[in-house]
Amino acid sequence: MSRPHQYHQPNAPDSPGEDSEFDTDLNLQELAPYEEGDRNVVSDSSSWAQESPESRIPLRNLRVSRIRGRGIRPQDDAYRDSDSESFPQGQVSGSDPDATLEDSAPLLALNGPSAKEHESVDQDSARPSSRLKLARFLSISESANSRPAQDGQESKSMGTSRDIIIGQYPSSSFPPNAISNAKYTAWSFLPRTLYNEFSFFFNMYFLLVALSQLIPPLRIGYVSTYVVPLVFVLSITLGKEALDDIARRRRDAEANREEYTILRLQDPAKRPGRKGGKLRNLKSSTKRPRSNTTSSYPNRLEVIEEEEESIDQAGRSSSLGIEVDELSIKSRDIKVGDVIKLGRDQRVPADLIILKSFSVESGIATPLPPQLESGSQSNPSSETGPLNGHSPTPNTSTTATRSDTPPESNKAAASSESDATGEAFLRTDQLDGETDWKLRVASPLTQPLEPSEFTRLRIIAGRPSKKVNEFVGTIDYTPQLLATNNNINHRELQRPKVLSVPLTIENTAWANTVLASNATVFGVVVYTGSQTRQAMSTTPPRSKTGLLDCEINNLTKILCALTLSLSIILVALEGFEGDEKMKWYVAITRFLILFSTIIPISLRVNLDMGKSVYAWFIEKDQGIPDTVVRTSTIPEELGRIEYLLSDKTGTLTQNEMELKKIHVGTVSYANEAMDEVSSYVRQGFTTASGTDVLQSSSWVTPSSSYYSSSIGASTTRTRREIGSRVLDVVLALALCHNVTPTTEEENGVSFTTYQASSPDEIAIVRWTEQVGLRLIHRDRKSITLQSVETSRVVVCVRILDVFPFTSEGKRMGIVLQFIQGDGSENAATKEAGEIWFYQKGADTVMSSIVAANDWLDEETANMAREGLRTLVVGRRRLSAQQYQDFSAQYKEASLSLQSRDARMARVVRENLEVNLELLGVTGVEDKLQKDVKPSLELLRNAGIKIWMLTGDKVETARCVAVSAKLVSRTQYIHTITKLTPDTPASSALDALSLLRSKPYSTALLIDGDSLSYFLNHHRWEFISLAVLLPAVIACRCSPTQKADIAYLIRQFTKKRVACIGDGGNDVSMIQAADVGVGIVGKEGRQASLAADFSITSFHHLTKLLVWHGRNSYKRSAKLAQFIIHRGLIISVCQTIYSIAAHFEPNILYRDWLLVGYATVYTMAPVFSLVLDKDVDEGLANLYPELYKELTNGQSLSYRTFFVWVAVSIYQGSIIQGLSQILVGGFKEPGDAKFQQMVSVSFTVLVINELIMVACEVVTWHRIMVASLLGTMVIYIGSVPLLGDYFDLGYVWTWGFAWRVAAISAISLVPPYSVKILRRTLRPPSYRKVQGF
């Protein structure tokens, strides 16, 4: 491809390798390539148009002569392909790509390098190409304001940009547009899972043991005794991983099957199969050809004649009949270059550039006032020009979806202001976490176009990036050809200059956002799949390992060390010389194999099966309906959480605002008192209806004669003053905003909805409607208000200036001119209209702007303590002269080349924001999710430190933290904001000094920039202090920052971290956590699909952690210790026997006895411990402090492990020692005495394990009883089948019975007695809350 920076140069050198403005004319100078010294020669593009006709050769003649002569050589095909990549192929009305490629073929014979070499030259050479290439309907933009060459990073970014021509699919390979949360592929599954499994020490240990059985000197018993259990364990584990990943893929496939509508732009004349048959209906198919070429090319002479004959008498080429069809395809089939049609509440499937947006509403119910419709009135602000992008600018649009009408006719079809500007609102909370709706607009170059003309567009987009708030690109529109004379033999086609405009973030719609406007949007796909902003901000999923698994892995290492030590000791006691039959190292290895039961291979099987049971319990719990366990390998982690990182929007809050309170200086209104506000509004805006002085259609201004006296003459003066204040603040709130009303129809009923960039403003406008003043019209020029009581227009204003809300300014202002009169054509004049400046904003900035008062600070503090988001409302009346002075200064400031924003802000501050009349204070509540307050309090009492990470504003996060009780009343909120990379280190560390002095009673509120500063420069100083705080609120966080915080806490504290969220911007954080919890929200399921656990509401998290987390951890800990005890006790028996057998490495329990002991005879009772529970659910919720004990890991620690080791050594020594003593007399394995001893010791071993299980049960379950009794019956029933191992004649004697009973009592009574004594002296916490 040609270098992008050459394309961007406004005065790029004209060379034979570039097209001239005139596609059908060839300058004679083109036939001579540039010399080396001409590289820097820049020829004025205008000179082409000024040349005499004699200096031109009609292209028709040259092309025809070439066709009749040599034709196209085979190698030209390859060159044509290269040439088609070097220049964009702008087609008129979407004509066939083949025709474009044919016209792009070189006119001169190609000699020299191969096509591949030429392609390399085109890509790498900086000088213009010397070959002549003429691409049809293509011209390089020569506008001085097109795309100037940039240097630095921007140039580098554009150096890897992508070139998209609508109607053609790019030759480059882009990733598929598919969501994938799968951990494995078909090729990586076995390597990754086997690596994960054998990274556990005991799996590797048993692999070595199994492999050792292939060596004859080391073989003990059957090889299957060691190989089959290992294969079984791996099969179970790999099967679970496979099922989990298959489930993820199925969920991804469901999301990828979501259907979208795209526009198929096709020329029927070039459609394959047109000759002699009907056009194919592709609407039923989701597969589309992606090739740019076909097997045959049309005749070049026919193409040229068709092109020239298409020029009509008006001198403009007619459309070649591009058909626009709507085709429904699946999300995964969307490709770069597709034009997608989106409707309201539809999720954006890929990163788009908005081409066109038009409203789908039928119109507003109330017509505009004549003064606003006619536009005949002059505007005081007209001299200032567009300010802040909010001044009205005429534009046009079209709503057609299939037409061949040229752009000129579209202008006549414009129907509304929103259509003309191509506005659309997006909800981006699932991308960046911000609750404010984002205003997006179509490019003014593409908004007037018909969809059939989209094929004339070319888009250059920057390389994929994770920055959701930045985008750099350009869009070109190639106009149709113009005929410059009527000489048919020498007809010249003149192309107007290619129109180019830049693209910014305002022209984009990123994947995973939602169209909130009641509009239809056409957008072209520029990034898909893994290259979308959302995907690039998401970290790849990782395989998660529970802390319990790591602890057990460490314990098995200790057991292995004990086994090795014991083996060496036994060999050393006999002497390393040994005998000639067996070397000492062989003896040590055989002992290691004999003692391998110390590390039971069934441990992983039982634990994995237990995890499946826990997952089943969670999913079947009716208290947390629709909960899904997506990762069944870490349910115990739910009981070990110490840090909870939560999103705000959609997780803690519903993102539904409601105005709860209003204060007007002397009185406050809330709840039922709002009815009194409604009565004031009803009287103030409807009393004049029946008077003779004013007509019913008279419009109200703040100075209307009856406006302040309409409360009623019979009322007291104080009440009239209060009523006047209420009317003033209601009118201010109804006018000072950026809300746009839209009319919708559902089931035949029309209703009004509101669109705005902030849900706060929508809440306020809804409140004004509830109290009697409805917004019925808003555009960039005017606002119209209607009385709800009479349904008549009562207020009409003209918008002069708008000063939007910014994070720095924290306020929003508007200058309005009220229109007086009764609505007739000549009733109102501009000079008679009152000009008012209204402003609302945060109390921190408004307190210094409004006039002095004695109640503002106190009232805003009261509302803040209630968790309400406060806005202070003020106003000021301006004279015409004051406004003109302001306009002149503001215009002058807006033309400044340096510090423009600061100068404009200073003009506003000095002229408008001076002693505003304080009207009132509003308190808006962000509705919390159900039971958020008690849930957070319970989790905090459980010892969990809660961090709120949000992409929202600082003020919003503070209010939610207070209202949700994330920060208690006694805690001070320390705020750190606006730290930049240039901030001195001393200043940044000083900001942490207060936290260092009171770490346990202070909460931290920090913004994204400051957080980034600390993470980059003072990472460990910050995190070491932040993890001690009871609560941290981080605002303006990017998805990557959220994931970094989760990873940093895990790395620094080594504690378990849980993350919960509901949006796509939370996926990275969820995957970085030890436990990721996703909420199935209104905005989609992406977070829940990527999470380990999916719930439907935040308050379900408490039961998931406090109840199911507790049970899962306690049960797994007890199960693991019992399995270790079961393997250790049989190894102790083997040790005692080996000592008695003169240190010979002979096996005590052979074959079935060894396998049956770990499976049939003990597995069911031991596994039934997964049903045990130490407290019921009510006590777990009543005493959340019980959860805090779990985080210390006391249920499975080194102390408890060595206690069980001691018990196992004692019981194993008693069982085997007394069996040998009481039976005695055996000489070697296989004789009668040996079988009698084995029958006694093995029977006691089984009984001991069953009774130990019974002693450890806290809450009995019927399955536990059945497993214990059933296992005992199975053992007794299987004794007759054990003749190869037992002396069956001895088993049915009283001597056998009393020996078994005596040994069992001695092995069980002492440990149980110690347990009872310890429980009495130091009862555990769960027994304290149970009352015994």
Side-chain angles (χ1 to χ4, degrees), residues 554-556 558-559 562 598 1121 1124 1128 1194-1208:
N554 292 333
L555 296 180
T556 55
I558 297 176
L559 292 176
L562 292 176
I598 291 180
Q1121 292 177 132
I1124 292 175
L1128 190 57
Q1194 295 180 358
S1195 297
L1196 180 60
S1197 61
Y1198 288 115
R1199 186 185 64 83
T1200 59
F1201 169 73
F1202 284 112
V1203 168
W1204 279 99
V1205 169
V1207 171
S1208 301

Side-chain angles (χ1 to χ4, degrees), residues 12 35 50 80 87 116 189 237 262 296 538 553 574 643 663 688 707 799 803 900 1046 1061 1176 1202 1216 1247 1318:
E35 299 297 335
Q50 297 173 357
R80 178 175 58 246
F87 286 88
K116 184 175 181 180
F189 176 74
T237 306
I262 69 166
S296 62
T538 303
N553 193 52
E574 185 183 8
Y643 291 89
H663 190 90
Y707 175 72
I799 300 175
F803 312 103
R900 177 182 302 175
D1176 57 28
F1202 284 112
Q1216 185 60 32
I1247 294 175
R1318 181 179 178 277

Side-chain angles (χ1 to χ4, degrees), residues 215-476:
I215 304 175
L218 302 179
R219 186 174 300 166
I220 301 176
Y222 298 115
V223 177
S224 59
T225 304
Y226 299 93
V227 175
V228 172
L230 178 63
V231 173
F232 178 72
V233 169
L234 294 178
S235 300
I236 293 294
T237 306
L238 268 62
K240 286 174 80 314
E241 284 290 318
L243 291 177
D244 287 346
D245 212 51
I246 290 173
R248 293 189 194 96
R249 289 183 176 274
R250 288 175 177 172
R251 293 188 294 268
D252 292 341
E254 182 179 352
N256 292 329
R257 284 195 298 266
E258 186 176 359
E259 292 196 348
Y260 289 87
T261 300
I262 69 166
L263 302 185
R264 184 183 61 181
L265 309 174
Q266 189 168 6
D267 182 0
K270 302 295 187 280
R271 183 181 298 177
R274 179 177 180 270
K275 297 181 179 180
K278 296 182 179 180
L279 299 180
R280 290 186 303 158
N281 183 7
L282 300 182
K283 293 185 178 181
S284 60
S285 174
T286 61
K287 296 183 179 179
R288 320 189 299 286
R290 298 297 185 184
S291 176
N292 288 344
T293 59
T294 57
S295 58
S296 62
Y297 293 91
N299 184 280
R300 292 176 60 84
L301 181 58
E302 293 179 358
V303 173
I304 297 170
E305 291 175 347
E306 178 184 359
E307 176 185 338
E308 295 185 349
E309 290 173 0
S310 66
I311 301 179
D312 57 16
Q313 297 298 326
R316 183 166 183 102
S317 62
S318 61
S319 173
L320 294 183
I322 293 299
E323 289 189 356
V324 182
D325 296 328
E326 293 185 357
L327 181 66
S328 180
I329 67 171
K330 294 179 174 61
S331 175
R332 64 169 179 262
D333 296 326
I334 293 174
K335 305 293 184 183
V336 172
D338 282 339
V339 178
I340 299 181
K341 178 182 178 181
L342 295 174
R344 182 175 182 178
D345 293 330
Q346 195 168 11
R347 184 169 300 280
V348 181
D351 286 355
L352 308 179
I353 298 296
I354 298 177
L355 300 178
K356 188 181 186 69
S357 174
F358 53 90
S359 175
V360 297
E361 64 184 36
S362 57
I364 59 175
T366 304
L368 291 179
Q371 291 79 0
L372 301 180
E373 290 181 345
S374 63
S376 60
Q377 308 298 333
S378 61
N379 193 325
S381 64
S382 61
E383 299 178 0
T384 64
L387 303 177
N388 294 332
H390 287 269
S391 293
T393 55
N395 205 338
T396 55
S397 170
T398 180
T399 59
T401 59
R402 178 174 178 175
S403 175
D404 297 331
T405 308
E408 283 76 4
S409 63
N410 299 339
K411 297 180 181 179
S415 59
S416 67
E417 180 74 15
S418 61
D419 290 358
T421 56
E423 296 179 352
F425 283 101
L426 297 178
R427 294 198 298 269
T428 64
D429 52 320
Q430 300 300 297
L431 178 68
D432 55 18
E434 297 186 17
T435 57
D436 293 353
W437 290 6
K438 303 298 187 301
L439 176 63
R440 295 292 185 260
V441 294
S443 170
L445 185 64
T446 61
Q447 177 66 18
L449 297 180
E450 290 283 355
S452 60
E453 293 189 290
F454 288 165
T455 55
R456 297 178 175 275
L457 298 175
R458 169 184 178 178
I459 294 173
I460 294 187
R463 59 183 176 183
S465 170
K466 65 172 63 175
K467 297 179 180 179
V468 298
N469 295 319
E470 295 181 11
F471 177 73
V472 176
T474 56
I475 187 168
D476 300 338

Side-chain angles (χ1 to χ4, degrees), residues 31-32 279 309 352 452 502 674 758 802 989 1096 1104 1110 1146 1197 1226 1269 1273 1311:
L31 299 179
L279 299 180
E309 290 173 0
L352 308 179
S452 60
M674 291 296 182
S758 172
V802 176
L989 295 177
T1096 57
L1104 194 65
R1110 175 183 182 83
N1146 295 326
S1197 61
F1226 68 89
L1269 297 179
V1273 170

